[in-house]
Amino acid sequence: MEAEPPELTFNGQVVRSKGVGLEWTPVLKSAISHRTILLTDAAVAVMRRRLKLLAARRDAEVATAADVVFVFPTPRRHGVPDHDAMKKSLRRLFDAAGHPEMTLHSIRRMVERRLEEAGLSRMDRESIMGHTVQVAERHYSTHGVPERGLEALRRPGATQDAKSKL
């Protein structure tokens, strides 16, 4: 959050281990999955609100161990973010909103489509979305990729044009 522009670095994941349950590990699917992306203004606003809420929980001495470690802890399963619990929550939200056809994968594809409609090249989209072998074979460096993604999304009308096509 202190970088200019603010950024998010992927350097690990929560995994379910037999006999242990959910735990954070500094290992991703592949070496190219370790990446840093720039955050949009909207994402920064969400992160700042969440960090403010976590600070208030710590000040009130009601913060859990997961509140200290994770920005978006899960209320169940000892607070460790749980991909399965998130998918179930999204499923309930999609169904309640009248969109039973939507999935977490649908959201991912929507983001990629918006990047494409904003004019970002295929290699840059794949790099931002975390595609692995294909990107490594075609793209030697990701220098400038996140910046180009934000620039494409900030173009006048890019977000609105993408929304109208969905």
Side-chain angles (χ1 to χ4, degrees):
M1 296 296 292
E2 291 78 29
E4 191 52 47
E7 58 190 28
L8 173 71
T9 299
F10 294 84
N11 59 10
Q13 64 185 341
V14 174
V15 295
R16 189 177 312 278
S17 300
K18 197 171 193 168
V20 177
L22 295 168
E23 61 182 352
W24 169 259
T25 178
V27 177
L28 289 169
K29 289 180 182 178
S30 70
I32 202 164
S33 294
H34 290 267
R35 63 195 184 281
T36 298
I37 61 171
L38 299 179
L39 297 173
T40 64
D41 294 339
V44 170
V46 168
M47 293 292 286
R48 289 189 198 278
R49 282 193 309 269
R50 185 62 188 167
L51 292 171
K52 188 176 177 181
L53 178 84
L54 291 174
R57 289 180 55 79
R58 281 192 297 276
D59 291 347
E61 298 182 5
V62 294
T64 65
D67 287 335
V68 175
V69 177
F70 301 106
V71 177
F72 297 101
T74 304
R76 294 175 289 214
R77 301 194 186 199
H78 309 294
V80 177
D82 184 350
H83 187 265
D84 294 332
M86 181 185 64
K87 286 192 324 188
K88 288 176 185 175
S89 294
L90 283 173
R91 171 80 282 126
R92 285 190 296 271
L93 287 171
F94 292 146
D95 290 347
H99 293 285
E101 74 284 359
M102 290 292 290
T103 64
L104 184 56
H105 188 74
S106 302
I107 293 173
R108 186 173 165 76
R109 295 286 66 86
M110 197 178 338
V111 168
E112 191 165 11
R113 193 174 320 123
R114 288 179 66 184
L115 290 168
E116 178 181 12
E117 291 170 354
L120 205 60
S121 75
R122 179 179 176 191
M123 283 189 296
D124 288 352
R125 288 191 318 269
E126 289 177 352
S127 182
I128 288 169
M129 297 303 294
H131 295 247
T132 55
V133 176
Q134 299 87 353
V135 174
E137 289 173 354
R138 288 193 307 263
H139 202 53
Y140 297 109
S141 169
T142 58
H143 177 71
V145 171
E147 292 88 351
R148 290 193 298 267
L150 281 181
E151 180 183 305
L153 288 174
R154 286 183 177 146
R155 286 188 197 124
T159 304
Q160 203 56 36
D161 291 344
K163 284 181 183 175
S164 66
K165 294 178 182 179
L166 294 178

